[in-house]
Structure formats: structure tokens, C-alpha cells
Amino acid sequence: MTTLLTRRMFTLAAGVSLGILTATLPAYAATPQDTLVEAFAIDDIISLDPAESFELSAAEVISNSYSQLVKLDINDTTRVVGDLAESWTVSPDGLTFTFKLKPGVTFASGNPLTAEDIAWAFERMAKLDKSPAFLIGQLGITGDNVTEKARAVDATTFALTIDKAYAPSFVLNVMAASPLSAVDKKLVLQHVKEVTPSADYKYDNDFGNAWLKLNHAGSGPFAVRTWRANEIVILDRNDTYFGDKAKLARVIFRHMKESAAQRLALEAGDVDVARNLEPGDMEAIAKNKNLALDSSAKGTVYYISLNQKNPTLAKPEVRDALKYLVDYEALGKTLIKGIGEVHQSFLPGGQLGALDDNPYKLDIGKAKALLAKAGLPDGFTVTMDVRSTQPVSGIAEAFQQSAAKAGVKVEIIPGDGKQTLTKYRARNHDIYIGQWGSDYWDPHSNAQTFSSNPDNSDAGKSKTLAWRNAWDIPAMTAKTDAALMEKESGARAKMYGELQRDVMTNGPFIIIYQQTEVAGHSSKLKGFKLGPSFDSNFLAPVAKN
């Protein structure tokens, strides 16, 4: 383990300037009474624009600072509830969803929120065509038709017309995803940057994307004051929020990767919450009468993926062999103890059709035999891109050690979240270890990314995990599409079971575990609760005794 404290702690004082808030001051000062300070690995944040951001910690920031038409009911994940929407209806043909907005809602800027802002949020997402655009793309909405399909009927009525009569629950769960947030059109238009149209981008402006990467245009309970990459995010209470006002004036996410550093900061009172704890530090916190633990099974799975552009990894026997070179049992007892459960299928427990089958175990002999069958009796050498945070680094090292016993030499390439994700998204990796959190609480969210790849070319628009790993699967893609259209829940669950078994057996994914998110926190906190998804850790109810 590296040094326990990589830098001196800094004091946070309420009501002072941003410069003082983020300065390096003496360690171990209690956090202000009106401020929540979280130690959290936030190095995966690339942008705070809802139409671009698709990273886990960024989604938490956005879900606390923006509002959507509907949101997941964290107490009953089979339901969505209104957020900006007061009510909604579905047309008899199942193609048009009409939302009536709550009256009197304003953005943090003070500008009134209307259906036009929601329509424009859809428009800029479709036309920017960043990663989150697939959410509405799967509803048949593109840059070419978005102004017809997503429109303001009047100031308080928004209508969305989709291409097929999907199950309404699927559509509403998509609408609850944090990228589909209302954006302050009047404010963002003041910061639009002109661009030259090209073959890849035919519009003459960036819809404010460059500005919104670092700034805020939302209507949530908090407003983003600042983000500095790999350092800090500061949220201030939005006193114009239409719902119950946040109980604290400020939330600060401090980038801190090491579990031990987070625990020591929590014990010293320098932070209120520690978010990336390892089993040993969790045990220490559990024994501390001044601290508490909160946990929640998440819709997030951790996996190792194998790029099929690498001809060695494209061999079925090699893919199968590597699945027998993970010591799942040992990981369950050590690195993921208390923070996850061994889980080898792509649907997390709790979603329709999820399997609890775990057929793989460490078997060096079987792996060697499979490698020999593939014409690689002496093994091979391969690289593995790894985000430098736990437990990912530890899992990668454990895999490296067990793989070596079968002659597979794994060269670990460490990097921060942005580096590894960027390389992965460009399909330039050999092996990548990462996590996937459901974008919305419907099995299609994970099925679409693990078992669908409509266009395997480098120019493919649907950049699923299957696409990122160059896994060309037209027949499975068709089955995934069919499961989406099935209305009867029992039949649909069976279809997802078949897809999971196919991916488990034949796919380029070694799915290892489902996350149990655990946070250590001060016992002074009231109302702190982890949600079931990565964008449902809501902070407005949190208070301090």
C-alpha cells in the first residue's frame, strides 16, 4: 500500500470564499456544520454537461444539481415518480408520452423552466451525439428528427413521440436517467461557441457544450460552484429549488483515492463521508462508536473485457481460459468482502431476469488445456488497462498472478479514470477492467450494452460495451431487440436469462461481481442514504446533528 496520506488535509470554513474553501490549511479540523464533505474518487469525471457526461461519479453530481421529468423511486425500484412532471399520459398507440410540468419551477439562475427547456435538452443531446445520446437513440430519436419527436406543446406541456410501442415502464425508466436533465436554454445560449460543420458534425455551433463542461445550468437541489479535475467538486444549495430545500448549504467532494486515507480523514473529522473503502477500513469504522456504515446493493457490475481486435483474445478457447484464471472465491473473501458479491452475469440482482448462476471458478489446469487447444501451450503476453483505484487495482494484480500460472503474462498499465476510459472507448486496449452501472432500472440497459452491437465498424454509432470490444454479434443483437419488445414480464425475463448465459459462455466479458456500495460516515449525519443506482445517491435530505 502506498503512503496513507498523500497530501495535508485542509480546513473548510462555512461562508468563506472559494479560494479559502479549497486552500491547503492545517489538518484535522472539523467540517463546518452547514457543509457535507465527502472523500470520493472522482478522477473519472470528464465533463459536467448532462448531454456528454456518462461517468459514475459525474452522474451523482448531475443527479443532485439537475432535475428530470421523472426519477426512480429509491424505495420501490419497480416505479418511477414525477420530478419536474406533475403527471403524464400515454397515447392509445403507445407512441406518444405527454408530460404536464409542475408550475412555478425555476432554474438556479432564476430563469423560469418551461417545456421548451426540456425540448432543447433533448435537441442538444441528439445533435451533439455524445455517449448519452444512445439513451434517446434507442427510442428512435436522432439529430434529424428530434425537433419533431421531442417538442413543447405549450409552456407547461412536453410531448415525446417514439418509434415503437415499447413497454411504458422501459420508456419511463429511460427518462429517469440523469443525462435527460432539463437544461437552462436561455443561460446556455449565452455561451454557445460557433464551430465549422464537418463530415462528423453538421451543425454550426456546440450548443454550449464547451461552457457546460465546467459550469451549471440546472434546477436541482444544489448548483455546481466549481469542478477541478482530480481535485474537488463544490455544490451550493439552490434556494430556488422547487422541491424540499437541501438541509445543508454546501456539499464538497474531495478527490481521495486511497481507502486508508479516507478512513483516517473520517476518523479525524476532516471529512464527513468516506466513499471508497476497502474491507479492512470498513471493519475499523464499524468498531468506532463515533462513525457508522451505510450500504446498498447497486445496479453496478465489475468486469474484465477482452478486445476482439486482438487476434489472440478473439479465440474462443482463450476467452474461456481467461474466465478460469480469476480466483472468484478468494476475491469474495478479501478484496470485495463487504463491498460486493461474486456475480458472473450481466444483469445485477434485483432487475427483471437477473441470474444468480456462478459457473466459473479458478482452474489453472483447465485454463492450460484450453490455451493448448487454441495453439498457445506456452501462453502469451497481453496488456491490461487499469484505473488506479481500489479494489480495481487489487483485482487486476490478483488476475495477473493467477494468469501467470497458466503462462499468460499480463502487463498492467495503470492510469486515472479519464485516461483508461478514453483509451477503452476508442477500442485501443487489449484487456480492460471496469465497471458498468445500469443507466436506468430496466434490464435492457445492461442487455443493450453487453449483448448488442448493431454496427461493429469503427464508425459505429451505437458504442456499447460489445462494440468497444469489437464483438460482432448480429444474431444476439436481434435477440436483445426482441426482448425489449416483449410485453409479458415472465417471457421477457426468460429471454434475458438466455442472453446472460450466452454472454457468460461465449462473450469477451469476465464478469466478476456486483457492487455493494458502502460509505463510512460520521454519526452526526442524519438522512444519509445510498440509493440503488449510481445516480440515486441523493444528498438534499442530509443534515447534521
Side-chain angles (χ1 to χ4, degrees):
M1 181 172 290
T2 55
T3 180
L4 296 182
L5 289 173
T6 57
R7 57 185 178 188
R8 297 175 66 195
M9 305 295 183
F10 57 85
T11 303
L12 302 170
V16 295
S17 71
L18 175 62
I20 296 176
L21 271 171
T22 59
T24 302
L25 295 173
Y28 309 129
T31 61
Q33 187 67 18
D34 67 349
T35 301
L36 179 73
V37 185
E38 296 200 33
F40 196 13
I42 57 173
D43 59 323
D44 62 331
I45 299 179
I46 295 172
S47 170
L48 293 180
D49 182 347
E52 179 179 32
S53 176
F54 223 36
E55 293 70 47
L56 298 186
S57 53
E60 181 164 334
V61 173
I62 289 170
S63 67
N64 279 285
S65 55
Y66 284 81
S67 305
Q68 298 82 42
L69 286 166
V70 295
K71 63 183 178 181
L72 183 69
D73 184 345
I74 62 173
N75 298 311
D76 180 1
T77 56
T78 65
R79 302 174 62 241
V80 299
V81 294
D83 191 13
L84 292 170
E86 188 172 61
S87 62
W88 57 88
T89 58
V90 183
S91 62
D93 63 5
L95 296 180
T96 299
F97 289 69
T98 303
F99 298 87
K100 194 69 177 178
L101 305 186
K102 294 176 179 176
V105 178
T106 63
F107 288 101
S109 67
N111 292 329
L113 188 155
T114 72
E116 180 62 31
D117 295 292
I118 296 171
W120 192 68
F122 275 73
E123 180 181 353
R124 66 187 303 274
M125 175 181 283
K127 292 181 176 179
L128 285 171
D129 199 22
K130 304 287 187 180
S131 294
F134 96 90
L135 289 168
I136 55 177
Q138 63 191 339
L139 301 176
I141 298 172
T142 68
D144 292 331
N145 66 20
V146 63
T147 55
E148 302 169 12
K149 300 292 187 181
R151 59 190 180 86
V153 177
D154 55 42
T156 61
T157 309
F158 171 75
L160 178 71
T161 301
I162 59 180
D163 61 338
K164 298 176 183 177
Y166 304 107
S169 59
F170 161 68
V171 179
L172 292 170
N173 274 300
V174 170
M175 302 292 280
S178 57
L180 290 169
S181 296
V183 175
D184 188 338
K185 180 179 180 179
K186 182 178 180 180
L187 174 63
V188 178
L189 283 179
Q190 298 172 22
H191 303 280
V192 166
K193 178 182 176 182
E194 292 185 2
V195 298
T196 302
S198 66
D200 296 325
Y201 186 77
K202 61 184 178 182
Y203 306 103
D204 63 1
N205 73 88
D206 75 339
F207 293 91
N209 172 247
W211 181 80
L212 207 50
K213 286 176 184 285
L214 294 168
N215 293 282
H216 179 251
S219 57
F222 292 95
V224 178
R225 184 199 293 195
T226 194
W227 161 51
R228 291 206 296 271
N230 295 358
E231 185 178 346
I232 199 167
V233 175
I234 300 177
L235 309 179
D236 288 337
R237 181 172 56 217
N238 173 18
D239 288 324
T240 73
Y241 181 56
F242 61 91
D244 293 336
K245 303 295 188 291
K247 298 185 183 303
L248 296 175
R250 187 176 299 107
V251 173
I252 298 176
F253 297 99
R254 289 183 50 194
H255 177 56
M256 190 181 295
K257 284 178 136 180
E258 295 179 348
S259 173
Q262 291 193 10
R263 175 177 61 82
L264 291 178
L266 181 62
E267 290 173 341
D270 196 49
V271 302
D272 302 300
V273 183
R275 293 289 299 278
N276 304 98
L277 296 171
E278 297 174 29
D281 293 308
M282 287 167 47
E283 292 175 5
I285 288 171
K287 296 175 182 177
N288 189 322
K289 64 181 181 180
N290 296 316
L291 305 176
L293 291 171
D294 185 64
S295 65
S296 176
K298 309 294 279 192
T300 302
V301 294
Y302 282 70
Y303 65 94
I304 294 170
S305 63
L306 316 171
N307 193 343
Q308 300 301 282
K309 286 191 172 187
N310 182 314
T312 299
L313 299 177
K315 295 183 177 183
E317 299 88 355
V318 171
R319 294 198 300 262
D320 211 20
L322 295 179
K323 294 170 187 177
Y324 287 103
L325 292 176
V326 175
D327 194 342
Y328 306 91
E329 183 179 1
L331 292 176
K333 293 178 179 178
T334 55
L335 290 173
I336 66 169
K337 182 181 179 181
I339 60 172
E341 295 288 338
V342 173
H343 186 82
Q344 296 176 0
S345 52
F346 66 68
L347 283 184
Q351 289 190 4
L352 178 71
L355 300 178
D356 57 9
D357 301 354
N358 294 320
Y360 291 98
K361 62 181 180 180
L362 179 65
D363 191 330
I364 303 297
K366 191 165 188 174
K368 284 183 174 181
L370 286 164
L371 291 173
K373 186 177 179 182
L376 298 164
D378 299 322
F380 60 95
T381 299
V382 70
T383 63
M384 183 177 192
D385 291 282
V386 179
R387 181 184 177 192
S388 299
T389 188
Q390 293 294 356
V392 173
S393 292
I395 293 171
E397 291 165 3
F399 176 67
Q400 181 187 50
Q401 292 168 10
S402 57
K405 296 177 182 178
V408 179
K409 302 175 182 64
V410 179
E411 176 191 346
I412 292 176
I413 303 176
D416 65 23
K418 294 186 297 297
Q419 292 169 331
T420 56
L421 270 174
T422 299
K423 185 176 180 181
Y424 183 43
R425 287 171 173 170
R427 310 209 290 186
N428 289 331
H429 63 294
D430 282 340
I431 298 179
Y432 172 82
I433 180 169
Q435 63 195 107
W436 178 266
S438 299
D439 296 305
Y440 46 89
W441 206 255
D442 184 275
H444 186 67
S445 177
N446 281 31
Q448 183 187 44
T449 200
F450 282 99
S451 62
S452 175
N453 184 7
D455 179 0
N456 193 46
S457 71
D458 287 342
K461 293 294 186 181
S462 186
K463 299 182 179 181
T464 64
L465 295 186
W467 178 89
R468 290 184 194 176
N469 290 282
W471 191 32
D472 198 7
I473 44 172
M476 191 180 296
T477 299
K479 291 180 180 179
T480 302
D481 292 341
L484 175 61
M485 300 307 300
E486 175 57 55
K487 300 297 191 296
E488 200 280 312
S489 61
R492 194 173 182 224
K494 182 179 179 181
M495 296 171 78
Y496 286 118
E498 292 172 355
L499 285 168
Q500 288 170 92
R501 291 187 179 93
D502 200 348
V503 171
M504 196 185 303
T505 303
N506 302 308
F509 303 106
I510 308 170
I511 300 172
I512 302 170
Y513 76 97
Q514 178 178 347
Q515 180 187 12
T516 302
E517 187 174 16
V518 179
H521 61 86
S522 167
S523 58
K524 294 180 181 179
L525 294 188
K526 294 175 58 180
F528 183 85
K529 178 179 175 61
L530 296 170
S533 60
F534 58 84
D535 58 356
S536 60
N537 296 325
F538 299 124
L539 299 175
V542 179
K544 289 185 176 181
N545 287 329

